[in-house]
Amino acid sequence: MVKIHFSRKQLCIPYGLFLALFVVIPMLLILFYAFTETVDGTIRFSFANFLNFFTSTAKLSTLLMSFTIAIISTAICLLIAYPLAYILARSKFKKKNVLLMLFIMPMWINFVLRITALRELLDLIGLLGTDNYLNTIIGMVYDFLPFMILPLYTTLEKLDNSYLEAAADLGGNKFTVFTRVTFPLSMPGVISGITMVFMPSMTNYVVSDTLGNFNITILGKLIDQYFTTYDNWHMGSMISIILLVIIFLTMLLTGRFKDENRDARGANLW
Amino acid sequence: MRKQILSTVLALCLAFPFLLLLAGCAAETSLILRVYNWEDYISEPTENDSEYVDLISKFEEEYEEKTGQKITVEYSTFGTNENMYNELQINPGSYDLVCPSDYMIMKMISEGMVEEFSQDFLTNSNYAKYASPYIKDLFEEKGWTNYATVYMWGTMGYVYDPELSETIEEDLSSWSGIWKKEYAEVATIKDSVRDSYFLGVAVAYREELMQLKERFEQGSIDAKAYNDEITRIMNLTDEETLEKTKDALIQLKENLYGFEVDSGKQDMIAGRISINFAWSGDAVYTMDDAEPYIDENGKEIPGIYLNYIVPEECSNIWFDGWVMPKGANTELAEAFIDFLSAPENAVENMNFIGYTSAIAGDRVFEEMIDWYDESADPENRGTDEDGNALVAYDLNYFFNGTSDGEYENGDFIIYVSEESAKRQISAQYPTEDVLTRSAIMQHFDDETNASVNEMWEEVKGLPIPLWAYIAIAAIIVLILVAALSFAYKGKRRNAKVKKGYTVLKRGAQ
């Protein structure tokens, strides 16, 4: 009997293929489209899209608004999720997994359905159509809250109680223990949550379209418009690249915290 | 070595599912017609209602009966003209028949992307026989007769709830009606550049358009000159027009309930909004669904009667038509159009889609009498059951010359009550005056398109609300404070290390 043995290299082939076909080649294509333009049917290298983005009032204000909406949504998510995750993780309640599941469960229901339901709800209480920005932010928070709770809960749950006891022993009151020990140690969860909420809030235009009655344009919507209605793949790709750079920069900034807390890395679920 | 090859092969097998996905389908023996149409744009049985005729399989059966050859229709759908166009650019020759809108047809003809219809089809088909002469003349004048046939057509206007205010009918007889503060947060317009641009231009050039109308009514210009001038104005894209249109639309945006893609119909029916800028076909659908009716259990379901109005300044006549992309199987494509152009099939389509077919003919007219005519006596029309005189709704411009002998030219009149004349029928078939002031929107070239899109982006993206500026300022301040305190803390921590202590690097133990 021949014993079949896969070498590591061979086991990588399926993933390698996947990586090449669906990650590397598309990325290269986007780069190619972003730095070219079509003039009279011929494609040529150009920086026009780049310049256009940073000189167009409409695009810059869209960028600014997406950014603001995303930051506000993330901040609200954090404000709601942190106390919740903290209480949940520290509580002695035996069935806390059930509680956690109740918060996470919405994630398993299709979000378009949830947003449509929220639209009806907002209509019922008379908010729909009055303040589109507020509605969009409500939608984003509602939609992405579980993504904030989960990493926070995992970090806080894994927090070694002996650290807190040691801090208390050394004379720290509850507030000091929290600000000097608990919060810094939960930073990886916070960062992970922020990235999980911030990025989609900048692009998830189903939320802004449904709840803002198409009054609000965010970056994701702009990209969609360039590909589907304006028929300009070059500009669409350029905006995607700019978004990518923004996200990359945020990661770079937040990455510092992660390295400092190497031990707690397991919390970084995503 | 052999073992290594074997395991490589096995590893490749793991990737096999991907390859399967990429592989094509098995070959078919029957003829294949590949049709690419809008979603929900042909009669087919639906989950809720299986009564609708399945026109695609009916065509397959009829074709086999006629020619003895089996045919399969591969039917796929698209969501926007641009998606369809891109698909054709990427995979040329992948469809035999597509159904773009007016401006896209223009673009495709000008780019030489479409096949010409055969002489036989143009002179001797159901389309040649039953398509309304009004539509055919319009196409002849534009020079598109050989390249495209009209499937559905209509106008643009406002659907509104007449109960909303006393003066609503008068207010909405101008496009600028929804700019009024009175109608704040009750109206929606389309989230589409082309349609909303039209609306913006109509309001920006309201004075010019009204002057033209006056001159036409006084008789100093004829209908054709009037229409040409409207078409010219509505297709202006110079910088000044763009600026004026942008201002008008931004102003409107503040007064709107919102923009919509497809939710306008539902929002009207649910009463969330009371005015909707709509395509005539959607208007018919909305009015039908909003009406009160009696369900199968005899229970009365309440509803509202909505009206449709085409404002005085001008309107847009739009159409979706069949074209055959280069490389298409023109024979099969023509057979399919011929089938759809048979009046009985056109009726099925109108019934299902709610839009107005370009096909006239006795069968279609009879159906319209059945739908709309309120005469008490079919022999002696003109008065209703209570003896009230009805309004004569003249459709001769559309139906004349398409009868198989049942009707004479001039007979094509439907009698409706004054209220009904403002409802479905006015959207289904615009009157001749409305058509006199309806312009065809042209296709914009790439450069114009870019600047119109830029204008639209500004309409959608501006203005930035005040609170956003405050929020941004607050965020910047917060970030600065955080950064400063971080830097300061770092300094203090280093300074705190006292002489004589060894600082252990983290992880050194």
Side-chain angles (χ1 to χ4, degrees):
Chain A
M1 211 178 100
V2 190
K3 245 193 173 177
I4 297 164
H5 174 75
F6 290 117
S7 73
R8 279 183 188 202
K9 263 186 206 163
Q10 286 156 347
L11 280 172
C12 279
I13 291 176
Y15 181 62
L17 270 179
F18 179 85
L19 200 69
L21 271 177
F22 299 114
V23 180
V24 179
I25 295 175
M27 280 303 301
L28 290 177
L29 273 177
I30 290 179
L31 258 180
F32 169 78
Y33 271 110
F35 289 100
T36 49
E37 63 178 343
T38 310
V39 180
D40 302 325
T42 52
I43 291 181
R44 63 166 194 221
F45 179 79
S46 118
F47 274 111
N49 302 317
F50 187 77
L51 290 178
N52 182 316
F53 186 92
F54 288 102
T55 48
S56 147
T57 0
K59 292 188 189 76
L60 285 179
S61 73
T62 305
L63 176 68
L64 203 68
M65 278 322 294
S66 322
F67 209 74
T68 318
I69 290 174
I71 285 191
I72 294 178
S73 310
T74 316
I76 297 176
C77 272
L78 190 63
L79 284 179
I80 297 175
Y82 201 96
L84 181 83
Y86 184 77
I87 294 165
L88 219 56
R90 301 276 100 197
S91 82
K92 304 250 161 25
F93 184 52
K94 270 187 192 140
K95 296 258 157 52
K96 60 184 175 187
N97 276 338
V98 178
L99 268 181
L100 181 71
M101 202 159 88
L102 282 178
F103 287 107
I104 304 302
M105 218 148 58
M107 248 168 49
W108 305 337
I109 292 168
N110 184 293
F111 91 95
V112 179
L113 178 67
R114 276 185 285 138
I115 290 302
T116 316
L118 188 61
R119 181 181 148 91
E120 295 298 319
L121 194 72
L122 289 173
D123 186 34
L124 208 67
I125 58 177
L127 264 180
L128 195 67
T130 50
D131 190 334
N132 299 311
Y133 288 103
L134 179 68
N135 290 339
T136 304
I137 291 172
I138 292 176
M140 297 281 185
V141 170
Y142 172 58
D143 211 31
F144 301 126
L145 192 60
F147 292 96
M148 186 64 101
I149 297 177
L150 206 54
L152 280 175
Y153 174 77
T154 341
T155 343
L156 287 167
E157 224 228 339
K158 279 193 185 150
L159 201 67
D160 195 339
N161 234 347
S162 49
Y163 286 136
L164 306 186
E165 282 160 11
D169 275 354
L170 292 170
N173 60 18
K174 276 194 173 167
F175 181 73
T176 327
V177 173
F178 179 78
T179 51
R180 301 294 291 272
V181 181
T182 316
F183 190 69
L185 282 178
S186 66
M187 252 349 237
V190 175
I191 298 302
S192 174
I194 287 178
T195 30
M196 284 308 294
V197 176
F198 184 74
M199 283 186 248
S201 305
M202 273 187 84
T203 50
N204 195 330
Y205 62 88
V206 176
V207 177
S208 57
D209 280 357
T210 320
L211 301 178
N213 289 325
F214 292 88
N215 264 316
I216 294 172
T217 315
I218 58 176
L219 275 188
K221 175 79 177 174
L222 208 56
I223 296 172
D224 170 72
Q225 294 250 296
Y226 272 99
F227 279 98
T228 57
T229 50
Y230 300 162
D231 190 20
N232 181 350
W233 292 21
H234 304 289
M235 195 65 212
S237 304
M238 178 46 89
I239 304 172
S240 308
I241 295 272
I242 289 167
L243 189 66
L244 191 102
V245 170
I246 292 173
I247 291 169
F248 186 73
L249 284 178
T250 357
M251 296 282 272
L252 211 66
L253 272 175
T254 54
R256 305 171 44 133
F257 293 104
K258 277 187 189 163
D259 283 344
E260 275 180 24
N261 295 288
R262 217 173 269 260
D263 314 333
R265 250 207 176 165
N268 195 3
L269 271 181
W270 312 96
Chain B
M1 186 64 207
R2 262 189 60 198
K3 229 166 82 183
Q4 216 173 27
I5 292 171
L6 187 64
S7 39
T8 309
V9 169
L10 274 176
L12 275 173
C13 285
L14 288 177
F16 192 64
F18 289 118
L19 299 178
L20 256 189
L21 276 178
L22 298 173
C25 315
E28 294 262 351
T29 45
S30 68
L31 293 170
I32 291 175
L33 172 68
R34 298 156 305 169
V35 180
Y36 201 26
N37 196 2
W38 292 90
E39 285 155 19
D40 295 325
Y41 220 38
I42 194 161
S43 172
E44 57 192 340
T46 59
E47 265 173 47
N48 299 329
D49 199 337
S50 50
E51 302 261 300
Y52 292 115
V53 175
D54 187 346
L55 281 183
I56 295 173
S57 42
K58 189 178 169 200
F59 168 71
E60 290 171 344
E61 280 158 30
E62 259 184 35
Y63 190 85
E64 198 180 342
E65 239 167 66
K66 244 191 229 164
T67 63
Q69 264 194 298
K70 245 185 147 29
I71 188 166
T72 312
V73 178
E74 279 178 9
Y75 187 80
S76 29
T77 58
F78 56 85
T80 67
N81 281 301
E82 286 70 20
N83 282 353
M84 183 277 311
Y85 179 83
N86 284 338
E87 178 67 29
L88 283 182
Q89 288 285 329
I90 296 166
N91 297 313
S94 50
Y95 295 101
D96 298 312
L97 199 55
V98 297
C99 188
S101 304
D102 35 35
Y103 73 97
M104 191 49 82
I105 294 178
M106 256 177 256
K107 182 175 157 106
M108 287 170 74
I109 293 177
S110 71
E111 289 176 9
M113 284 173 70
V114 295
E115 298 274 0
E116 275 189 58
F117 286 104
S118 68
Q119 267 316 304
D120 183 48
F121 176 83
L122 291 173
T123 51
N124 189 23
S125 65
N126 280 330
Y127 186 79
K129 211 152 129 202
Y130 295 116
S132 161
Y134 166 75
I135 300 279
K136 280 197 286 192
D137 289 349
L138 193 71
F139 261 45
E140 195 61 53
E141 195 187 308
K142 302 278 174 187
W144 303 326
T145 307
N146 294 347
Y147 300 97
T149 65
V150 180
Y151 184 43
M152 298 286 160
W153 69 288
T155 53
M156 290 211 77
Y158 289 132
V159 186
Y160 66 96
D161 178 0
E163 307 278 300
L164 187 64
S165 83
E166 293 270 305
T167 54
I168 188 160
E169 194 182 334
E170 201 190 317
D171 290 336
L172 292 185
S173 68
S174 161
W175 287 112
S176 62
I178 58 171
W179 266 254
K180 286 198 170 174
K181 277 280 160 276
E182 238 181 301
Y183 302 120
E185 286 174 15
V186 295
T188 56
I189 66 169
K190 295 251 167 255
D191 186 28
S192 120
V193 200
R194 293 187 61 90
D195 298 321
S196 301
Y197 185 69
F198 175 87
L199 181 60
V201 175
V203 170
Y205 284 89
R206 182 175 146 72
E207 259 171 53
E208 284 86 339
L209 289 165
M210 289 313 280
Q211 277 166 13
L212 267 178
K213 190 179 166 68
E214 207 169 297
R215 276 168 59 205
F216 170 66
E217 275 164 1
Q218 286 163 356
S220 56
I221 46 172
D222 67 357
K224 186 169 176 335
Y226 178 46
N227 190 282
D228 286 349
E229 194 53 22
I230 288 180
T231 307
R232 185 189 69 79
I233 292 176
M234 296 318 294
N235 282 294
L236 283 177
T237 50
D238 57 287
E239 225 163 273
E240 197 198 330
T241 310
L242 281 174
E243 205 54 37
K244 274 163 119 179
T245 309
K246 184 178 87 186
D247 292 345
L249 287 176
I250 288 183
Q251 215 184 359
L252 173 64
K253 186 184 162 181
E254 308 282 288
N255 206 41
L256 280 181
Y257 175 80
F259 299 84
E260 51 103 6
V261 175
D262 215 22
S263 63
K265 294 182 264 185
Q266 284 315 315
D267 287 346
M268 279 302 284
I269 295 163
R272 266 192 280 268
I273 52 169
S274 303
I275 305 171
N276 182 214
F277 175 51
W279 294 305
S280 50
D282 284 350
V284 174
Y285 177 98
T286 314
M287 287 184 277
D288 276 349
D289 267 30
E291 271 180 8
Y293 67 98
I294 295 169
D295 73 358
E296 58 261 41
N297 305 324
K299 208 180 137 209
E300 267 181 58
I301 308 289
I304 24 172
Y305 285 104
L306 300 173
N307 286 0
Y308 177 77
I309 191 168
V310 177
E312 292 297 318
E313 294 97 344
C314 62
S315 182
N316 163 225
I317 169 169
W318 58 264
F319 47 84
D320 296 323
W322 295 111
V323 294
M324 304 182 291
K326 276 269 182 268
N329 184 336
T330 56
E331 206 180 307
L332 297 184
E334 285 175 355
F336 191 65
I337 301 175
D338 185 55
F339 168 81
L340 289 178
S341 303
E344 66 268 21
N345 297 332
V347 164
E348 295 301 339
N349 260 338
M350 280 173 74
N351 195 17
F352 177 85
I353 309 168
Y355 281 54
T356 310
S357 169
I359 302 301
D362 295 341
R363 182 73 188 77
V364 178
F365 184 66
E366 275 160 18
E367 191 76 9
M368 290 309 118
I369 288 188
D370 188 37
W371 286 5
Y372 298 120
D373 203 283
E374 293 169 44
S375 305
D377 178 6
E379 293 306 311
N380 185 17
R381 295 157 66 211
T383 45
D384 69 4
E385 282 160 0
D386 305 328
N388 299 324
L390 296 170
V391 182
Y393 202 91
D394 190 342
L395 296 182
N396 281 302
Y397 78 92
F398 190 79
F399 284 90
N400 272 352
T402 59
S403 174
D404 284 324
E406 294 235 354
Y407 296 90
E408 301 274 320
N409 285 353
D411 282 353
F412 298 104
I413 292 173
I414 289 178
Y415 293 92
V416 291
S417 66
E418 208 176 314
E419 293 84 47
S420 304
K422 294 173 192 164
R423 292 181 193 149
Q424 280 90 330
I425 194 167
S426 67
Q428 196 103 54
Y429 291 101
T431 56
E432 231 177 326
D433 321 338
V434 167
L435 290 173
T436 318
R437 57 175 197 265
S438 291
I440 292 182
M441 287 290 275
Q442 321 241 303
H443 145 67
F444 302 146
D445 61 33
D446 287 349
E447 206 177 311
T448 319
N449 232 341
S451 42
V452 173
N453 290 343
E454 182 77 29
M455 184 268 334
W456 181 240
E457 257 172 31
E458 287 184 29
V459 170
K460 290 301 292 294
L462 296 174
I464 297 180
L466 183 68
W467 62 263
Y469 284 113
I470 299 171
I472 291 161
I475 290 163
I476 292 172
V477 168
L478 269 176
I479 291 176
L480 277 179
V481 167
L484 279 176
S485 74
F486 195 74
Y488 175 69
K489 232 176 161 181
K491 251 186 205 162
R492 205 177 54 180
R493 201 190 288 153
N494 290 340
K496 258 192 175 173
V497 181
K498 283 180 187 159
K499 251 189 183 173
Y501 286 85
T502 338
V503 181
L504 281 177
K505 274 236 164 105
R506 201 191 288 169
Q509 287 156 320

